[in-house]
Amino acid sequence: MLNVKWRPVAIIATLVLLIHFIVRSPYIEFQFSQTDDAKDALQAEHENVIANGQAPGNMKHPLPVTVTVTQDVGTPHTVTSIVKETVFVDSDTTNEVLEKANAAFVVLTRNKDLKDLRETLIQLEDRFNRHYKYPYVFLNNEPFSDEFKEKIQGMVSGECQFGLIPEEHWSYPEYIDQTRAAEARKDMQDRKVIYGGSESYRHMCRYESGFFFRHPLMDQYKWYWRVEPGVKFGCEIDYDPFLFMERNNKKYGFTISIKEVIETIPTLWNTTMDFMDKHKEMIPAANLMGFVTDKNGEYNRCHFWSNFEIGSLDFLRSDQYMAYFDHLDRAGGFFYERWGDAPVHSLGVSMFLNKNEVHWFEDIGYYHGPLWNCPKGEANKKCWCPEDQSVEVKYKTWSCTLDFVALENP
């Protein structure tokens, strides 16, 4: 028996260990690495978006839409009734050499993200990559530390490459008025627009929109899977999403889609319409403009949340997408406003691809605070994520995913 005088000490030690387990558990949905300011900003953004379900009027695009949107999509489907494409990839085993795509994970990160990134990569390796051993490309606008490289290389199965972003890709172009840009940041910060006062966030959005796929380390690959520090993977991934994309003629894959905060992109749609008006020959008749517009042709702010993307690098390198990015970059909205890479990628995808070329990975359980994509029904049996928390279930008016599902194939 424990001596009476030591019992309080034992009780306190037990409580400390219990609290430590709860805080460190990967099953807790909240990202503890976020600052209080970031949490408050995210919450404010969510409340604002949910409260403003309709896009501003008088923002019609000049081109005909070849697909229609069903506005009332009803109850969410199960994974088996939505994902109709055949996956021609066998489930993995550890004792055979698997066919692989020419692909890599790409991670834009910083030395200070090491803890969050390691937690994410442990899950990604366990759920998927320990079998396939796809390589990783880590990119940073500052040199990676030896500690960062050593600890990352020691925990992943694929080859690691660490790249420094060229200064010209993470700086102001000569045609940007930096005084005007600083005034815009101050104004948006005063109005409490999420990340409105951040200069580095704007460089990040511009880089993800038009430069990451041009880094020399990416030249050898045809497919990319974007990963961010702190995200969670809630399901076993028992097939190769890269091969799925390649064998089914997909160009872009997503997990979550939502409506953008209009205060961050007040002129993005008009700038995009200007591009479409000048380059009608670049836009195929079978496009996906029905995803980003309502039944009246007005901009609905829908976008694929780009913190998770599996996509074709050839698409991003295409003349059409590069012309679109250059048009946006010259307009200055990455700095004079706060254009995000998610709406930019989504508008590019919607102009140049059709629905058959875009895929919702409903069966990949994915969390980026505070939103889940979680499989429903039978597919949830290989997951620990809560299906009733999936964004298209919990935030129906904010999510755009079921509107994407309802679009007709060309």
Side-chain angles (χ1 to χ4, degrees), residues 30-46 194-195 369-370:
F30 193 76
Q31 290 181 292
F32 286 89
S33 61
Q34 293 178 328
T35 64
D36 290 339
D37 289 343
K39 289 181 283 185
D40 292 342
L42 281 170
Q43 182 62 34
E45 176 188 10
H46 305 152
I194 186 168
Y195 302 121

Side-chain angles (χ1 to χ4, degrees), residues 339-401:
W339 292 353
D341 52 280
V344 170
H345 282 193
S346 301
L347 287 166
V349 166
S350 297
M351 277 188 287
F352 304 127
L353 301 181
N354 62 60
K355 188 188 177 187
N356 284 335
E357 296 172 302
V358 180
H359 181 67
W360 174 28
F361 281 102
E362 186 191 4
D363 56 336
I364 294 182
Y366 175 77
Y367 176 79
H368 181 294
L371 302 179
W372 268 110
N373 178 73
C374 191
K376 271 68 71 181
E378 285 292 315
N380 193 260
K381 290 183 178 180
K382 60 180 180 180
C383 309
W384 58 263
C385 60
E387 58 183 275
D388 63 342
Q389 296 298 303
S390 199
V391 61
E392 81 283 359
V393 176
K394 187 174 182 179
Y395 299 110
K396 292 180 180 179
T397 61
W398 186 17
S399 171
C400 300
T401 302

Side-chain angles (χ1 to χ4, degrees), residues 128-188:
F128 170 69
N129 202 47
R130 63 191 172 94
H131 301 309
Y132 290 85
K133 298 177 173 56
Y134 276 106
Y136 292 83
V137 175
F138 299 94
L139 301 175
N140 192 350
N141 66 310
E142 298 178 350
F144 284 110
S145 68
D146 290 339
E147 178 193 17
F148 185 98
K149 290 188 282 189
E150 180 181 348
K151 288 190 174 181
I152 292 298
Q153 287 175 318
M155 64 174 300
V156 299
S157 58
E159 177 189 1
C160 293
Q161 296 176 291
F162 301 89
L164 182 65
I165 295 171
E167 183 179 357
E168 61 269 24
H169 292 174
W170 196 281
S171 57
Y172 291 100
E174 61 181 12
Y175 45 83
I176 294 297
D177 182 341
Q178 295 189 43
T179 300
R180 179 184 170 188
E183 291 171 350
R185 293 196 303 274
K186 176 64 165 58
D187 173 66
M188 295 182 74

